[in-house]
Amino acid sequence: MSITSHSAPSSSRTTTAPTFHRRPRLRAVPDGVAHRHLSAPAAARDLPAVVRPDLVPTLSGDLVDYANLDHAASTPAFERVARAVETATRTYSSVHRGTGWLSRVTSAHYEAARDEVARFVGAREDDVVVFTRSTTDSVNLLARALPRDTSVVVFASEHHATLLPWRGRDTVRLPVPGSARDAEALLEAALRALPTGTPRRPRQALVVLTAASNVTGELWPVERLGAIARRHGARVLLDAAQFAAHRVVDIEALDVDWVAFSGHKVHAPYGTGVLAGRSDWLDAAQPYLAGGGATAQVTEHGTRWVTGAARHEAGSPNVLGAIALAAACATIREHRAAIDEHEARLTARLLDGLRGIDGVTTYSIFGDDSERGPVVTFTVDGLDSQLVAAALSAEHGIGVRAGKFCAHILVDTLLDEGSDEHDAAVRVSAGLASTPEHVERLVAAVTALAADGPGAEYEHTAEQGWAPVDDTRELSAPLPW
Ligand SMILES: Cc1ncc(COP(=O)(O)O)c(C=O)c1O
């Protein structure tokens, strides 16, 4: 594990003080102004457009361009995705069971969406693509489909969606690794120690890996860990929730058995996720949901279930969600080079900017030089992380996340190796709705926070957490319907 810390600023601040007082204001730079000074690289013009929000109010009364640095939590829709949904809505009808013309059109859209997602993940000929609600749903689906007595090996550093669905008895939890080598050694030892079963009933094993950490953005050494799993005859589930928007997901090249990811993290926030991969365990398992569409025959005497994706998609499927997801996958595939260039630029500046601030500590699992997506997690000496996030939002119009990011064990481990002072961290995660100006605004705001504390007075309450004391902004959220 690696922690980059910079010398502490003035010691007059404490994390326990209930209020913070005003210092001279740091003004956020309106987006248009900043852009005039930044030379956009050629590739920026090829970036796919995301649906842009209206300006957001800050405490000072300014309206500013919302700096979305919270992509690891969720992503705004691509304009193309929103258009695809709007278009498909016009012909929307029931899928699969309807005979009307529009049912046929909608069914064709649904199955074409499945094909597009299969292309996006590099599915093998006989892989199945099951539409789910989310990564959480996908992992739970596979957990329910495990053959009896399957051993599961999972690192404790996983997101709770990937850590928790496995039955305790058959699960080996590996500690948070200190390095990529350590991860390999831990996995090797765990797989070697697994029970092998009997010749008549050999035990199966599943290794659960994350492609990219939702806390640090670091890429896990999936190919090397997957090779160890293979050597021991184990299968691999890859959680690509934080990877799919940033890197090529290729089941075959990565040599994994299943991948899971969510539409809302790849600019298709319409309630769809995916589990793609081997069909044998899924076909042999009880349907995830019992109901219409998953059945081949139902009589007084029993039920015969279909195999394939439909076995686990009972009920009327989320067709518009599937179409949205397919449109996002197609968009990412077409704009890959520009996305890579944009994100590499933002990541480098985020790391460089935050690591250069006195009193800021950044965190990593595998070491500061490990490859990562556009995510950086940090703490500020003497400031509660939730207060930092509240001030970034209220004073600067910057959206980030503070807490433990549904990866409590990993965050506790990283923070324990830091100063001991913090029980939560701040995560910034850039993406296609982030601009270079957003990153500059963040670096300037964190620099000011680390040096002087927040620019307004905040109080902490059990209901609201940290909130500005004098906040005259009205939360204006006219209902969209
Ligand atoms: C690495 C990782 N896995 C799984 C999930 C769960 O995704 P969802 O909330 O879409 O089910 C998340 C969400 O943040 C994540 O970051």
Side-chain angles (χ1 to χ4, degrees), residues 7 61 85 270 307 347 386 416 452 457 472:
S7 57
V85 170
Y270 293 84
T307 53
T347 307
Q386 303 283 1
D416 274 356
D452 302 321
E457 199 176 326
T472 54

Side-chain angles (χ1 to χ4, degrees), residues 70 384-390 400-405 424-427:
D70 196 19
D384 186 307
S385 293
Q386 303 283 1
L387 173 63
V388 172
V400 300
R401 192 57 78 88
K404 294 186 183 176
F405 323 117
V426 185
R427 178 183 70 189

Side-chain angles (χ1 to χ4, degrees), residues 74 115 139 180 231 238 281 295 395 438:
S74 205
D115 293 344
V139 177
R231 260 208 322 280
L238 188 66
W281 287 7
T295 54
E395 297 171 41
H438 295 162

Side-chain angles (χ1 to χ4, degrees), residues 138-147 165-166 281 285-290:
S138 300
V139 177
N140 276 275
L141 162 57
L142 188 64
R144 291 261 286 276
L146 295 186
W166 318 103
W281 287 7
Q286 282 297 305
Y288 189 41
L289 294 173

Side-chain angles (χ1 to χ4, degrees), residues 9 19 31 72 143 290 458 464 469-470:
T19 61
D31 196 41
Y458 291 79
Q464 273 206 303
V469 173
D470 295 320

Side-chain angles (χ1 to χ4, degrees), residues 15-156:
T15 42
T16 49
T19 61
F20 281 87
H21 296 279
R22 219 173 264 279
R23 63 164 170 69
R25 258 178 212 140
L26 180 90
R27 296 294 289 268
V29 189
D31 196 41
V33 175
H35 275 304
R36 281 202 288 279
H37 301 296
L38 289 164
S39 57
R45 289 193 293 275
D46 287 337
L47 286 176
V50 294
V51 175
R52 292 271 169 198
D54 292 338
L55 299 179
V56 296
T58 60
L59 266 188
S60 63
D62 291 340
L63 286 175
V64 299
D65 173 44
Y66 180 62
N68 185 340
L69 292 172
D70 196 19
H71 289 70
S74 205
T75 51
F78 284 135
E79 282 184 2
R80 181 170 165 193
V81 165
R83 275 199 307 275
V85 170
E86 162 66 20
T87 303
T89 301
R90 285 193 223 119
T91 50
Y92 176 76
S93 189
S94 65
V95 293
H96 294 155
R97 295 178 281 279
T99 49
W101 187 256
L102 292 190
S103 288
R104 289 179 59 193
V105 170
T106 302
S107 300
H109 285 162
Y110 189 57
E111 291 312 322
R114 205 187 296 284
D115 293 344
E116 177 55 48
V117 173
R119 255 193 306 283
F120 183 74
V121 298
R124 294 155 293 224
E125 183 87 354
D126 48 0
D127 280 339
V128 66
V129 172
V130 184
F131 285 123
T132 63
R133 290 180 301 165
S134 59
T135 308
T136 305
D137 204 27
S138 300
V139 177
N140 276 275
L141 162 57
L142 188 64
R144 291 261 286 276
L146 295 186
R148 204 144 66 97
D149 295 335
T150 301
S151 303
V152 177
V153 182
V154 58
F155 284 91

